């Protein structure tokens, strides 16, 4: 059977978009499959200050739109559907099953990135969209002038809380440790901002509210005290997990599900590549995801064309 495409790219985040730009420009018949929105994590990133070429910084959504325009101009077809399973990845015709259609190709580039971890506490699912959020850029405006909390102490928590500080009355960072993990520059920006309050060595035990969120039930890990901390919203940034469930037992991966590749982004199976945040040892940076995508596309081209 002759496959429909030269390459299927799974995920239209920065890595998948960069890969598709190179495969279509190399005249490879490319389909890019995306389940949510083109841009992936870019869509939930406010300001990006460290992507080369933008001295004033760039908004994540704007960059995603530019990347989409650039790749579709060269012929990338983007299909909105969710990959649910794959088949025959060790055979010449690779098969990808989505919730609406089955695709076949000579090669596959896996670029399905990662998703936010949940806290797993009572009220988190019940109040999701009614106060509990994982995306300040998407939902921050609903809480203009109100008091909100941010859970976490890494780069994402600091980046998103800074965005919120321009909208809300106050932003309280709840962190289980007594120091942040975030990069120094992001820490200092937060410490110098009067909108910030800090609950060090605290964890969230529950989100409380009838119809909408009213408080975070927190525990002081040092004193053991549990109390309700009033807040209109909670923005949760407690890490990511790779979106690789649909590949289970097929490719080599680490304990968290990140895929192992060589430096050309080749996995252990022929004509199957992985790039971006889904990759083990990824630096989880935009520039790196773009570089991975380009490397994967070039490897796919060379492997098909000898
Ligand atoms: C809040 C935040 C701020 C950040 N700030 C910066 C920064 O300032 N500088 C920087 O360099 N980096 C930053 N990053 C990191 C950077 O955004 C990521 O490293 C990069 O975007 C990863 O791109 P990716 O394409 O590998 O993955 P993703 O962006 O995760 O894209 C994966 C895509 O695959 C799709 N997908 C997943 N599963 C499926 C499926 N089964 N079927 C179909 N599609 C699927 C997803 O919907 C998604 O669109 C930030 C990240 C976050 C979250």
């Amino acid at each position: 059977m002759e496959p429909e495409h030269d390459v299927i790219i799974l995920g239209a985040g920065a890595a998948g978009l960069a890969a598709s730009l190179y495969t279509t420009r190399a005249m490879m018949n490319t389909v890019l499959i995306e389940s949510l929105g083109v841009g992936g994590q870019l869509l939930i990133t406010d300001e990006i200050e460290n992507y080369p070429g933008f001295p004033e910084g760039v908004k994540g959504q704007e960059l995603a739109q530019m990347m989409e325009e650039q790749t579709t101009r060269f012929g990338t077809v983007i299909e909105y559907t969710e990959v649910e399973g794959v088949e025959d990845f060790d055979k010449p015709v690779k098969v990808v099953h989505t919730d609406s259609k089955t695709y076949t190709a000579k090669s596959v580039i896996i670029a399905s990135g990662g998703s936010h971890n949940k806290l797993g506490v009572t009220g988190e699912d019940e109040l999701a969209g009614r106060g509990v959020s994982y995306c300040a850029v998407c939902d921050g405006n609903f809480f203009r002038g109100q008091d909100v909390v941010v859970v976490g102490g890494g780069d994402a928590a600091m980046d998103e809380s800074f965005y919120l500080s321009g909208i809300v009355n106050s932003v309280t960072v709840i962190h289980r440790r007594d120091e942040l993990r975030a990069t120094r520059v992001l820490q200092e920006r937060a410490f110098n901002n009067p909108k910030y309050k800090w609950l060090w060595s605290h964890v969230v035990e529950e989100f409380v509210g009838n119809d909408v969120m009213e408080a975070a039930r927190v525990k002081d890990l040092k004193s053991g005290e549990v109390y309700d901390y009033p807040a209109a919203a909670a923005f949760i940034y407690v890490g990511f997990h790779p979106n690789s469930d649909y590949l289970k037992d097929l490719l080599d991966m680490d304990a968290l599900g990140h895929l192992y590749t060589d430096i050309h982004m080749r996995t252990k199976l022929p004509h199957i590549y992985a790039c971006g945040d889904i990759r083990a040892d990824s630096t989880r940076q935009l520039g790196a995801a773009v570089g991975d995508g380009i490397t994967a596309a070039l490897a796919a081209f060379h492997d098909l064309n000898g």
Side-chain angles (χ1 to χ4, degrees):
M1 181 182 84
E2 192 58 24
E4 285 169 274
H5 302 284
D6 292 322
V7 59
I8 303 173
I9 301 175
L10 310 183
L17 286 164
S20 67
L21 177 64
Y22 274 65
T23 55
T24 46
R25 289 193 79 243
M27 306 304 284
M28 294 172 81
N29 175 335
T30 303
V31 64
L32 178 55
I33 298 178
E34 170 56 48
S35 58
L36 293 173
V38 171
Q41 291 171 56
L42 285 177
L43 297 180
I44 56 165
T45 304
D46 179 32
E47 193 73 23
I48 300 162
E49 294 181 334
N50 57 0
Y51 189 63
F54 294 89
E56 304 297 328
V58 59
K59 301 272 179 211
Q61 295 190 8
E62 277 173 30
L63 187 60
Q65 207 178 340
M66 288 191 269
M67 286 182 172
E68 179 181 358
E69 274 172 28
Q70 192 175 8
T71 191
T72 50
R73 182 159 79 87
F74 287 104
T76 298
V77 173
I78 303 178
E79 305 240 322
Y80 292 90
T81 177
E82 178 163 4
V83 178
E84 290 186 331
V86 299
E87 215 182 315
D88 293 343
F89 264 26
D90 54 346
K91 307 224 167 75
V93 179
K94 328 283 182 201
V95 181
V96 172
H97 299 289
T98 72
D99 54 11
S100 60
K101 201 177 151 186
T102 292
Y103 298 82
T104 55
K106 295 174 188 163
S107 38
V108 176
I109 297 177
I110 300 160
S112 47
S115 302
H116 287 285
N117 287 343
K118 289 187 173 185
L119 283 174
V121 299
T122 307
E124 186 173 8
D125 286 340
E126 294 81 350
L127 294 171
R130 289 182 290 139
V132 174
S133 170
Y134 305 85
C135 178
V137 179
C138 320
D139 299 330
N141 253 316
F142 298 122
F143 305 99
R144 191 166 279 275
Q146 302 189 56
D147 299 308
V148 305
V149 298
V150 163
V151 187
D155 283 351
M158 288 306 102
D159 189 52
E160 298 288 285
S161 58
F162 186 73
Y163 171 79
L164 287 167
S165 71
I167 301 174
V168 299
N169 179 52
S170 75
V171 51
T172 300
V173 177
I174 302 174
H175 188 38
R176 64 193 162 135
R177 301 187 208 284
D178 51 16
E179 59 182 358
L180 298 173
R181 253 186 315 110
T183 19
R184 273 295 270 277
V185 62
L186 297 182
Q187 291 196 28
E188 272 161 29
R189 193 171 67 170
F191 291 143
N192 292 328
N193 185 324
K195 290 271 186 86
Y196 276 77
K197 297 178 187 174
W198 304 90
L199 286 184
W200 299 111
S201 304
H202 275 65
V203 291
V204 175
E205 296 215 315
E206 189 176 338
F207 292 109
V208 184
N210 280 323
D211 202 24
V212 294
M213 185 181 146
E214 288 159 20
R217 184 157 297 157
V218 294
K219 180 176 187 179
D220 183 333
L221 293 176
K222 292 205 166 141
S223 68
E225 186 192 357
V226 177
Y227 59 98
D228 285 357
Y229 190 84
F235 295 87
I236 300 168
Y237 301 101
V238 291
F240 281 89
H241 58 270
N243 297 322
S244 59
D245 282 358
Y246 64 91
L247 296 163
K248 274 228 154 67
D249 303 326
L250 193 65
L251 296 167
D252 291 338
M253 45 180 88
D254 67 14
L256 291 174
H258 298 96
L259 304 179
Y260 289 117
T261 65
D262 68 9
I263 57 166
H264 301 287
M265 309 298 138
R266 294 183 179 106
T267 67
K268 71 170 185 184
L269 295 179
H271 302 284
I272 304 289
Y273 313 82
C275 54
D277 282 15
I278 198 166
R279 209 167 62 77
D281 303 324
S282 158
T283 52
R284 297 225 341 239
Q285 289 294 293
L286 179 57
V290 167
D292 277 7
I294 293 169
T295 306
L298 292 174
F301 177 79
H302 287 300
D303 292 348
L304 274 188
N305 295 285

